[in-house]
Amino acid sequence: MSPAPTAITRPLCELCHQFTSNLFAFDFARQDSYPPRWQSMDSGWTPERAWGDGFRHHETFQDLSESAKTCNLCNVLYADLAPMDSALHQGWLGLYPWWSAARMGENTQKGHFRAGFRESLAKMPWGSSKIGSVPLHSFKVCRRGPLREGEEVTWLDAHRRFSAIPTTIGSSDISRAVARWQQVCSKDHKNCAEGKSDQELPTRVIDLGENEAARIRLIESNDEKAPYAALSHCWGGVIPAITTEANKTARSDGMDSDELPQNFKDAIHVARALGIRYLWIDALCIIQDSKADWFREAGRMSSVYSGASVVISALDSEASTAGFLKPDRLLSAELNDEYAIQKVFPEIDDYLEACPLVGRGWCMQERLLANPILHFGKEQMFWECQSEFACEDGKKYTGESDGHAMAKFVMIRKRIGVSAANGTQLEWDAWYQLLEEYTTRKFTVSSDKLPALAGAATLLKSTRPGATYVAGLWKEDIVRGLLWCAHYYHMPGRKVWGISLVDKISELTKPPAKRAPSWSWASLDGQLDFWALRTKGFVVEVLDVAMSAGENELTEALPDGTIKLRGLVARMFYHPPPDEPGRDVGILTFGEADSLDDKSVTLHGCVMDVDRRSPRFCSVVIMSQSNGNIDWYLLVLDECDDGSYMRIGMCTAHNVHVDPKRFETTDILII
């Protein structure tokens, strides 16, 4: 034991006082022998053994509940454990600092510990499947103040590395945190812009005045240059107090902030805390009942969000009325002047994926274009610049070496932002990577799907001025852009990419009204994979791309047009999968009566876009052949009465034994 243990000076119950005092006395290391109430796990293997040596805390859940009324640490534990199913509240409560994870071994982060009831340990959820993740219902000793300038702390000294989150959030908390992050950006991040004080204001902004007593008003900027903030938020239904043709003139004289929804009030509070006078909010700065104004301003989203000094992100707020500055964010148990205990947050991937804002279609490009972004989560703030994603508690999230969709977006965002800032040409693959994330998002208004991507398209086009935008794709890379399919859930650890007959496939649906040609990904709703990212060897020839509406019109909501291809085409029969849950992958043969076991006539891995249960004849065109021409990627088409074709699916066939001579070179028109 340490000869001079850290003193616990705050009032805690006897059990919490002993546990925390012992941890510091142990220097957070496992011991050969323990004081009373500590227990070693048996030497024989049991499901509970992975929890390691532990401290016997309260004898029952009810005891914890009673102690939580007077002990702050018990209250922290209770708040996290109480929502669990009562089946997980059985036995005495144990606190376990040295749990084990299969591939990572014993926990070595000082100050971290798990909590669980003895008879329920085997049933406790872990949470994230990410290697090295901290399990759910874990807690940490953390410092009560931020790292001092120049202070370096080793990874294992987690109790010194992570800062406690203030339990409430005020103007000073916001301004101090942002000042620290801005200092890091200016000092260490070559990819972050040095400053945006000379950016032109958007067409209209909210003038917050020179102090908090000033009355806010809507002003026309007239190309004035000044710092401004922009809000990224979920509408969550009808928003009160939107700007219309009827009230826009009156709002130039002044607006009553009390009439605004809580998200807008909170955004005003944040902007003032940061010393920013002007604020842009879509519902207030775009005339909502003017289609002309709406489309004009939608085309300027790229400059609005990229030009903001900071974008305020209401990450965890489901609706405009919900607010994002919560008075009580996170419980904390102070131990002394230097340390406190709080819960460990879930893995950032899993947290972001569950946030309402991340699922909103419009907000993808808002986050893509912005630099920096100040995210307000339910329990902490985050700072996302072009170099990192920083958490208020001190953690850094890079997205590297992580296959999660949230991590991929962090990486894509950095790469696209840096290329645009440096004027370097973006690869087409960046667009398809972006679309894979974008198609996970949802829209209240179906026709917003393409206009909400206009800012991102503007960004890519800025690096490729000659590129031609057609229905969410690019004419110069249209062959690769056509090879999209419903997302399949690739099993972690499977080394070979490709759809098997038992893979889970995302559901695709048609919008209420036609939104795009059938060859465009925008014609359907649902998560997609873009196979141009996973295959080469394209063998089809594009003869013509003819747009009747929407060519290079980035905000066009309803583009239309045709594509003429020359390629190897055959008529085949679609055999649907068994009508069972989770079975969505069918098989193609040349004849309806062909044996599905005959490799010379079968193509496996066929995924229909919408109707996956109806057997039928169809046409296919080979788009790509790779891996020695044994892996084929084909579009599945339905012939119309006039001889044109509509896309209805895609096939990823591997280890093909079919004779290519059964296909004929044909010109086809896809509508």
Side-chain angles (χ1 to χ4, degrees):
M1 294 186 184
S2 170
T6 299
I8 306 302
T9 59
R10 297 298 191 265
L12 301 175
C13 73
E14 182 179 349
L15 294 175
C16 288
H17 191 280
Q18 181 189 341
F19 171 71
T20 53
S21 296
N22 288 164
L23 275 186
F24 281 100
F26 299 164
D27 193 24
F28 304 100
R30 191 159 53 84
Q31 304 292 296
D32 294 328
S33 61
Y34 293 101
R37 300 201 70 85
W38 284 87
Q39 296 191 6
S40 298
M41 281 291 176
D42 298 332
S43 57
W45 187 90
T46 64
E48 296 81 11
R49 180 167 170 73
W51 287 71
D53 300 346
F55 178 82
R56 185 163 182 155
H57 201 256
H58 285 294
E59 293 301 309
T60 66
F61 175 74
Q62 186 59 38
D63 290 344
L64 174 66
S65 174
E66 287 300 316
S67 185
K69 298 174 182 178
T70 56
C71 172
N72 284 339
L73 180 48
C74 284
N75 194 33
V76 169
L77 299 173
Y78 176 79
D80 186 74
L81 299 173
M84 298 190 311
D85 189 282
S86 59
L88 298 177
H89 293 159
Q90 306 306 306
W92 51 266
L93 176 62
L95 307 180
Y96 302 91
W98 305 291
W99 76 86
S100 294
R103 282 186 274 182
M104 297 299 294
E106 185 178 285
N107 170 53
T108 54
Q109 293 196 72
K110 293 182 177 181
H112 281 51
F113 62 92
R114 295 184 75 181
F117 292 89
R118 184 66 179 85
E119 295 176 16
S120 308
L121 297 186
K123 303 175 185 176
M124 286 289 286
W126 185 277
S128 175
S129 59
K130 183 178 178 181
I131 295 175
S133 64
V134 176
L136 297 176
H137 308 295
S138 294
F139 304 84
K140 63 185 178 186
V141 177
C142 44
R143 61 193 296 159
R144 294 183 59 196
L147 288 172
R148 296 181 293 275
E149 185 175 356
E151 182 180 4
E152 295 184 0
V153 178
T154 64
W155 185 85
L156 293 179
D157 288 333
H159 66 302
R160 297 287 306 158
R161 191 159 47 93
F162 298 131
S163 300
I165 303 298
T167 56
T168 60
I169 185 168
S171 297
S172 59
D173 299 307
I174 297 169
S175 59
R176 280 197 300 265
V178 170
R180 288 196 301 270
W181 284 321
Q182 287 177 328
Q183 185 178 21
V184 172
C185 281
S186 61
K187 181 181 177 182
D188 300 331
H189 298 164
K190 64 179 181 180
N191 293 330
C192 293
E194 293 183 359
K196 296 184 177 180
S197 59
D198 59 347
Q199 294 294 307
E200 284 188 3
L201 292 173
T203 304
R204 301 176 198 88
V205 289
I206 306 300
D207 183 355
L208 306 182
E210 296 182 352
N211 54 59
E212 293 192 10
R215 194 178 188 206
I216 65 172
R217 60 194 186 100
L218 180 68
I219 65 168
E220 299 274 347
S221 66
N222 297 317
D223 299 328
E224 180 184 346
K225 294 182 178 181
Y228 67 93
L231 176 65
S232 180
H233 67 109
C234 289
W235 280 49
V238 177
I239 291 184
I242 60 173
T243 295
T244 63
E245 292 281 9
N247 64 20
K248 67 176 183 179
T249 301
R251 289 190 165 187
S252 64
D253 296 326
M255 299 171 59
D256 187 351
S257 59
D258 290 337
E259 296 179 356
L260 298 179
Q262 192 60 48
N263 275 359
F264 298 1
K265 295 177 185 178
D266 288 349
I268 291 170
H269 181 89
V270 172
R272 283 173 166 164
L274 299 179
I276 298 175
R277 177 167 178 168
Y278 300 106
L279 175 64
W280 187 90
I281 300 175
D282 52 3
L284 302 183
C285 298
I286 299 175
I287 302 171
Q288 296 298 314
D289 59 352
S290 168
K291 185 173 290 188
D293 193 67
W294 190 92
F295 275 106
R296 183 169 54 251
E297 293 305 306
R300 295 172 177 170
M301 289 299 98
S302 178
S303 60
V304 168
Y305 283 97
S306 62
S309 297
V310 63
V311 169
I312 301 165
S313 162
L315 193 62
D316 229 328
S317 182
E318 295 181 348
S320 66
T321 55
F324 59 85
L325 295 180
K326 304 300 183 182
D328 299 311
R329 296 198 296 170
L330 183 69
L331 293 175
S332 182
E334 295 179 5
L335 303 181
N336 50 34
D337 291 340
E338 192 173 4
Y339 294 107
I341 290 180
Q342 292 183 327
K343 77 171 188 179
V344 175
F345 297 110
E347 282 294 322
I348 191 66
D349 287 334
D350 300 328
Y351 171 73
L352 289 175
E353 189 172 40
C355 287
L357 194 64
V358 173
R360 179 176 175 255
W362 277 99
C363 295
M364 187 278 288
Q365 72 170 5
E366 295 168 7
R367 184 174 164 202
L368 176 72
L369 299 166
N371 183 47
I373 311 169
L374 178 59
H375 296 288
F376 286 87
K378 189 177 297 182
E379 296 170 323
Q380 65 171 321
M381 293 183 288
F382 308 94
W383 179 262
E384 188 173 14
C385 62
Q386 286 186 349
S387 297
E388 68 181 13
F389 191 108
C391 307
E392 190 179 352
D393 69 354
K395 286 185 179 179
K396 301 292 178 66
Y397 174 64
T398 64
E400 297 172 359
S401 302
D402 190 336
H404 197 285
M406 297 298 103
K408 288 180 180 179
F409 184 78
V410 169
M411 297 297 292
I412 294 167
R413 181 184 177 278
K414 286 192 287 188
R415 184 164 68 254
I416 291 178
V418 170
S419 293
N422 296 337
T424 56
Q425 183 171 278
L426 275 167
E427 298 298 322
W428 298 118
D429 282 3
W431 185 252
Y432 305 129
Q433 290 167 343
L434 197 64
L435 291 181
E436 287 196 338
E437 197 277 347
Y438 186 67
T439 57
T440 66
R441 295 172 179 250
K442 295 178 173 57
F443 290 88
T444 302
V445 180
S446 173
S447 59
D448 283 354
K449 190 154 195 166
L450 283 168
L453 198 60
T458 300
L459 187 61
L460 186 138
K461 194 170 173 61
S462 71
T463 76
R464 288 180 173 268
T468 309
Y469 191 65
V470 288
L473 295 170
W474 301 93
K475 184 183 289 187
E476 290 73 16
D477 197 49
I478 195 66
V479 169
R480 298 174 74 238
L482 296 177
L483 206 58
W484 50 267
C485 187
H487 172 69
Y488 88 101
Y489 296 85
H490 185 81
M491 183 181 296
R494 189 203 293 178
K495 295 182 179 180
V496 179
W497 284 93
I499 297 174
S500 75
L501 293 178
V502 295
D503 279 329
K504 181 182 177 183
I505 309 294
S506 65
E507 180 182 3
L508 303 184
T509 58
K510 292 183 178 181
K514 180 182 176 181
R515 188 173 54 210
S518 72
W519 47 262
S520 168
W521 60 270
S523 64
L524 298 171
D525 291 319
Q527 185 175 0
L528 301 175
D529 292 330
F530 284 78
W531 284 86
L533 299 171
R534 302 171 181 91
T535 187
K536 298 179 181 179
F538 285 82
V539 295
V540 73
E541 179 184 359
V542 178
L543 300 179
D544 187 36
V545 180
M547 299 298 294
S548 57
E551 181 168 314
N552 262 341
E553 296 292 335
L554 305 188
T555 59
E556 174 58 57
L558 304 172
D560 203 7
T562 62
I563 288 182
K564 191 173 186 179
L565 301 179
R566 175 174 294 162
L568 293 171
V569 177
R571 182 170 171 79
M572 301 192 76
F573 188 82
Y574 171 70
H575 300 266
D579 192 6
E580 301 171 3
R583 299 295 297 271
D584 291 302
V585 184
I587 299 174
L588 296 171
T589 64
F590 287 92
E592 183 175 356
D594 286 347
S595 170
L596 301 184
D597 296 323
D598 184 352
K599 293 183 179 180
S600 69
V601 297
T602 57
L603 295 175
H604 290 258
C606 182
V607 178
M608 291 299 192
D609 292 335
V610 179
D611 180 6
R612 298 170 186 167
R613 293 286 179 258
S614 300
R616 58 198 182 275
F617 280 100
C618 56
S619 296
V620 298
V621 56
I622 301 174
M623 299 293 290
S624 166
Q625 294 175 313
S626 61
N627 194 20
N629 289 341
I630 65 169
D631 291 344
W632 293 9
Y633 300 85
L634 310 92
L635 291 187
V636 184
L637 309 168
D638 184 36
E639 187 172 4
C640 303
D641 292 340
D642 62 0
S644 63
Y645 292 84
M646 292 187 67
R647 178 211 155 102
I648 57 172
M650 184 184 143
C651 181
T652 64
H654 297 277
N655 198 22
V656 173
H657 291 77
V658 171
D659 187 350
K661 293 180 181 178
R662 301 197 69 160
F663 291 74
E664 294 184 2
T665 300
T666 308
D667 294 353
I668 56 174
L669 185 72
I670 307 176
I671 60 176

